[in-house]
């Protein structure tokens, strides 16, 4: 009880009053009536406060579980209700409300009880708010609805639940927009919608669901990039790319926004992959088929077909060993195909073919063993053995190709000595030796593997003979050209026919000598015309002279004459400028490009044109305007 501390404070005050009282009047402390008044007030207040506290709160050691509630007092009920509400959980708060709600409205403690009930109901709503902020809407609503309807706080329940549902509905709407944008691969739109979640007054939507949306956007972008690459691989159509595309699409989870797109990609890749495998079977590329069959993803649900593909691939690979044992093993493997298999019919066809091939393979194997020796006798025996394979059997074409190869080997062995002898004869390096070598090498027939090589040697030797025969003709032509008798040189060189080895060389020389003749002719014609002495005749002379070839011996003289004629035209133009600038310009324009006077003539033309059409004088603004402009510039700066 606070009675004792109150008394202590009174004593302290009394002591203080004694200190400040006049020293000349000292009274006994019990004679001070103010002190007795204060003590009386403190004692009565302390007694009232203690009584009320005892009435409202019993000691915490009181066990509420042992209380017999039908006869329990209001103070005990209130105490136990406060105890139950201390943990601030919904069950305890509702229990607290139930304990005191049974008391009559006219009970003296009703005001205190109502205050506690309102506080406990508000706490329940606060718990519901926490659950709502944590993302548990249904739990929050269930918590709020537990508040008894007869309480004044129940009026807030419906409004609070409506507020929660509105906020939650808005969050779901925005989240649905994010998902729609993700399905459309509209990343910017998805991000814009996700950012709106942060504006929600619900912490769960503003943080957890926002972060979830951003994570979904990142995952969707990665998945979309992966599927785009897979689509490119499908377009390529190669088996390896198709399998990789399927693996990428398989990684997309069923809950992903790109799951439907991934399934479409898998379906496309599956269709193309099966088509490629059917082509491998059609072309009997058994090794490639075996490699592919072992890599088919299980997600395609082609296990039965994969089993059949593996059987066909193993059987075909064994048959391609080209041994009797391999074919027998292939037949045994192909018999594993079940009758209900779509490849059963193909398997039976292969078995019948391989049964026919067994005997053919025996013949081919024996023939190849004989051919390995490489002698004419053994090669002929190998050909005879291969002929035993009937043309109607599957291995006939293969046997035929082998026989052609062995026949060519026989011909090569037979014709090689002829070729060697012809080359030895040609080493005489004279016409007689080359002719004998050609006669020898022509013994090699056209179907011989060495025929092409033999004809190459023959062409070389014929060319050597023609050079020896035609060289005197070409030498004679050169002797005429040396004394500049080009017509005679051309006539002599023209005797070499087009089929002869020296014909290209003779034609090159004829062309060079003809250029000499033409160059001299053009220069004579140009000089004759230039002698007329007019600007027009000089310009025409230049045009004619320029037709002379640059490779001709007269070309240096042509260049000197052209430059001289150009200078004469310019000189005539300058003389004409004394009388008529228009006439001078017309003459100067006849100086052709490429001459030493051309640039000078162009400068003269420009000068004369300026004299004919002088430019207008530049109008200079008055000085005061210039000063004004300078001031305006300075002001702007």
């Amino acid at each position: 009880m606070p009675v004792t501390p109150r008394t202590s404070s009174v004593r302290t005050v009394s002591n203080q009053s004694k200190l400040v009282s006049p020293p000349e009047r000292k009274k006994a402390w019990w004679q001070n009536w103010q002190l007795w008044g204060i003590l009386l007030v403190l004692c009565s207040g302390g007694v009232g406060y203690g009584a009320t506290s005892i009435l409202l709160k019993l000691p915490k050691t009181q066990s509420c579980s042992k209380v017999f509630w039908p006869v329990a007092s209001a103070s005990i009920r209130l105490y136990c209700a406060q105890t139950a509400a201390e943990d601030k959980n919904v069950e305890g708060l509702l229990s607290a409300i139930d304990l005191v709600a049974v008391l009559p409205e006219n009970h003296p403690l009703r005001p205190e009880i109502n205050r506690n009930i309102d506080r406990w109901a508000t706490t329940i709503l606060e718990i519901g708010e926490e659950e709502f902020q944590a993302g548990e809407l249904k739990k929050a609503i269930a918590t709020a609805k537990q508040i008894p309807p007869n309480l004044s706080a129940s009026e807030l329940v419906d409004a609070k639940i409506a507020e929660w549902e509105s906020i939650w509905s808005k969050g779901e709407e925005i989240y649905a927009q994010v998902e729609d944008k993700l399905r459309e691969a509209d990343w910017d739109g998805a991000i814009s919608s996700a950012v709106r979640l942060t504006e929600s007054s619900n912490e769960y939507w503003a943080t957890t669901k926002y972060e979830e949306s951003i994570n979904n956007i990142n995952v969707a972008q990665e998945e979309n990039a992966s599927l785009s690459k897979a689509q490119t691989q499908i377009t390529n159509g190669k088996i390896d790319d198709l399998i990789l595309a399927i693996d990428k699409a398989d990684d997309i989870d069923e809950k992903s926004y790109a799951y439907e797109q991934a399934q479409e990609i898998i379906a496309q890749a599956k269709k193309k992959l099966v088509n490629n495998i059917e082509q491998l079977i059609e072309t009997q590329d058994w090794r490639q088929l075996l490699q592919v069959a072992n890599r088919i993803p299980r997600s395609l649900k082609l296990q039965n077909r994969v089993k059949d593909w593996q059987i066909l691939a193993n059987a075909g690979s064994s048959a391609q060993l080209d041994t009797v044992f391999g074919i027998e093993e292939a037949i045994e493997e192909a018999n594993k195909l079940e009758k209900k298999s779509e490849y059963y019919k193909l398997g039976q066809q292969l078995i019948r073919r391989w049964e026919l091939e067994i005997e053919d393979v025996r013949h081919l194997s024996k023939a190849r063993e004989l051919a390995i020796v490489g002698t004419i006798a053994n090669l002929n025996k190998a050909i005879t053995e291969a002929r035993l394979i009937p043309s109607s059997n599957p291995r006939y074409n293969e046997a035929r190709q082998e026989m052609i190869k062995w026949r060519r080997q026989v011909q090569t062995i037979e014709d090689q000595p002829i070729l060697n002898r012809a080359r030895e004869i040609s080493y005489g390096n004279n016409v007689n030796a080359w002719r004998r070598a050609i006669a020898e090498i022509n013994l090699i027939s056209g179907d011989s593997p060495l025929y092409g090589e033999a004809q190459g040697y023959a062409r070389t030797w014929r060319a050597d003979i023609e050079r020896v025969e035609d060289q005197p003709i070409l030498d004679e032509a050169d002797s005429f050209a040396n004394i500049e008798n080009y017509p005679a040189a051309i006539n002599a060189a023209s005797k070499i026919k087009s089929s002869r080895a020296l014909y290209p060389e003779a034609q090159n020389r004829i062309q060079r000598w003809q250029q000499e003749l033409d160059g001299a002719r053009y220069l004579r014609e140009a000089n004759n015309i230039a002698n007329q002495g007019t600007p027009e005749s000089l310009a025409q002379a230049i045009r004619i002279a320029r037709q002379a070839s640059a490779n001709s011996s007269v070309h240096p003289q042509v260049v000197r004459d052209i430059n001289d004629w150009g200078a004469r035209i310019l000189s005539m133009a300058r003389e004409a400028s004394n009388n008529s600038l228009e006439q001078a310009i017309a003459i100067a324009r006849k100086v052709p490009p490429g001459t030493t006077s051309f640039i000078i003539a162009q400068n003269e033309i420009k000068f004369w044109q300026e004299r004919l059409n002088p430019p207008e004088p530049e109008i200079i603004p008055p000085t005061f305007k210039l000063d004004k402009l300078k001031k305006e510039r300075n002001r702007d700066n």
Side-chain angles (χ1 to χ4, degrees), residues 318-587:
S318 298
Q320 287 179 342
L321 295 175
D322 283 342
T323 63
V324 175
F325 174 76
I327 295 176
E328 290 175 346
E329 194 175 60
I331 293 173
E332 181 181 354
E333 185 71 18
N335 277 321
K336 294 179 182 179
L337 289 171
E338 299 179 1
K339 289 186 178 181
K340 62 181 179 180
S341 170
E342 62 181 295
Y343 298 102
Y344 178 77
K345 183 177 179 181
L346 173 62
Q348 293 303 306
Q349 291 174 354
L350 292 172
I351 289 172
R352 287 193 294 271
R353 174 184 172 180
W354 291 333
E355 287 174 345
L356 291 173
E357 287 186 6
I358 289 178
E359 191 62 29
D360 298 344
V361 169
R362 287 194 179 96
H363 291 306
L364 269 178
S365 298
K366 185 177 179 181
R368 284 168 178 158
E369 290 175 1
L370 290 169
I372 289 174
V373 179
T375 63
I376 294 177
N378 283 68
L379 288 170
N380 286 329
K381 289 179 181 179
I383 293 171
T384 302
E385 185 68 27
R387 282 176 179 166
L388 297 176
I389 299 173
S391 60
S392 59
N393 281 21
R395 293 279 180 160
Y396 174 75
N397 288 332
E398 185 179 351
R400 183 171 173 272
Q401 294 298 322
E402 292 285 10
M403 286 189 288
I404 292 173
K405 181 180 72 173
W406 295 331
R407 287 193 188 100
R408 291 174 65 84
Q409 289 180 7
V410 170
Q411 288 179 315
T412 300
I413 294 172
E414 292 175 343
D415 293 339
Q416 189 64 51
I418 298 174
L419 183 62
N420 293 338
R421 282 196 304 271
R423 292 179 62 189
E424 290 175 0
I425 293 171
S426 70
Y427 294 156
N429 288 330
N430 56 64
V431 173
N432 185 39
W434 290 325
R435 284 175 178 165
R436 287 173 53 207
I438 292 171
E440 181 71 21
I441 211 165
N442 282 336
L443 296 175
I444 298 174
S445 61
D447 59 349
S448 172
L450 297 179
Y451 179 77
E453 184 180 357
Q455 290 303 304
Y457 283 118
R459 285 192 295 271
T460 301
W461 297 330
R462 288 192 191 96
D464 291 338
I465 293 171
E466 291 171 358
R467 287 191 186 92
V468 172
E469 292 176 344
D470 294 342
Q471 188 61 48
I473 300 174
L474 197 58
D475 292 341
E476 181 184 9
D478 285 337
S479 63
F480 287 125
N482 290 336
I483 59 175
E484 297 185 358
N485 189 354
Y486 298 120
I490 292 172
N491 289 333
S494 297
K495 296 176 182 178
I496 299 176
K497 305 300 181 182
S498 60
S499 59
R500 308 290 285 182
L502 290 180
Y503 178 76
E505 186 176 351
Q507 290 299 307
N508 288 335
R509 296 189 186 188
I510 289 173
Q511 183 180 7
R512 187 170 68 248
W513 297 331
Q514 188 63 50
Q515 289 174 351
E516 292 291 341
L517 292 174
D518 293 340
R521 177 170 55 83
Y522 290 137
L523 185 58
R524 285 194 303 272
E525 292 178 3
N527 277 302
N528 291 335
I529 295 173
N531 288 334
Q532 298 177 15
T534 64
E536 291 77 8
S537 63
L538 292 172
Q540 184 180 1
I542 292 173
R543 289 194 295 272
I544 293 174
R546 279 183 168 175
Q547 297 181 50
S549 173
N551 297 323
S552 64
S553 59
V554 299
H555 184 259
Q557 183 61 43
V558 168
V559 172
R560 287 193 296 271
D561 289 346
I562 287 174
N563 288 331
D564 181 57
W565 296 333
R568 288 173 61 185
I569 295 173
L570 178 60
S571 176
M572 293 177 183
R574 285 172 173 169
E575 291 178 4
S577 67
N578 296 326
N579 300 319
S580 173
L581 292 178
E582 290 87 348
Q583 185 180 2
I585 292 171
I587 295 173

Side-chain angles (χ1 to χ4, degrees), residues 170-308:
K170 186 64 176 177
E172 288 179 333
E173 179 183 349
I174 296 173
Y175 194 83
Q177 291 175 0
V178 174
E179 292 182 320
D180 291 339
K181 297 295 183 182
L182 289 178
R183 292 187 185 94
E184 298 170 1
D186 182 4
W187 315 126
D188 293 337
I191 293 174
S192 298
S193 297
V195 170
R196 291 172 56 199
L197 288 172
T198 60
E199 301 172 0
S200 175
S201 57
N202 179 270
E203 185 177 355
Y204 173 73
W205 284 105
T207 57
T208 303
K209 296 300 283 185
Y210 167 73
E211 293 173 358
E212 181 181 313
S213 298
I214 296 300
N215 183 61
N216 289 341
I217 292 170
N218 293 332
V219 172
Q221 288 178 323
E222 293 174 359
E223 291 176 344
N224 184 74
S226 178
L227 291 181
S228 297
K229 187 174 181 181
Q231 190 67 58
T232 302
Q233 291 172 327
I234 290 176
T235 304
N236 292 338
K238 297 180 180 178
I239 291 177
D240 291 341
D241 290 335
L242 292 173
I243 294 175
L244 290 174
I246 293 170
D247 290 339
K248 286 184 176 66
D250 274 339
D251 292 338
I252 305 301
D253 190 79
E254 292 184 8
K255 298 179 181 179
S256 171
Y257 302 103
Y259 180 72
E260 293 182 2
Q261 183 185 357
Q263 294 305 303
E264 291 177 0
I265 287 176
I266 290 174
Q268 294 176 17
K270 178 181 178 181
K271 183 177 179 180
K272 284 194 173 184
L273 183 59
V274 171
N275 289 338
N276 285 340
I277 291 174
E278 293 295 338
Q279 289 179 1
L280 293 177
I281 295 173
E282 185 177 349
T283 58
Q284 297 188 5
D285 190 350
W286 306 119
R287 293 182 181 178
Q288 180 69 12
L289 175 62
L290 184 60
Q291 294 177 359
V292 175
N294 292 331
R295 296 175 58 197
I296 301 297
R298 296 187 62 83
S299 61
L300 297 184
K301 299 178 181 179
L302 293 172
Q303 283 76 11
N304 292 333
R305 299 181 77 177
V306 168
K307 180 181 177 182
D308 293 342

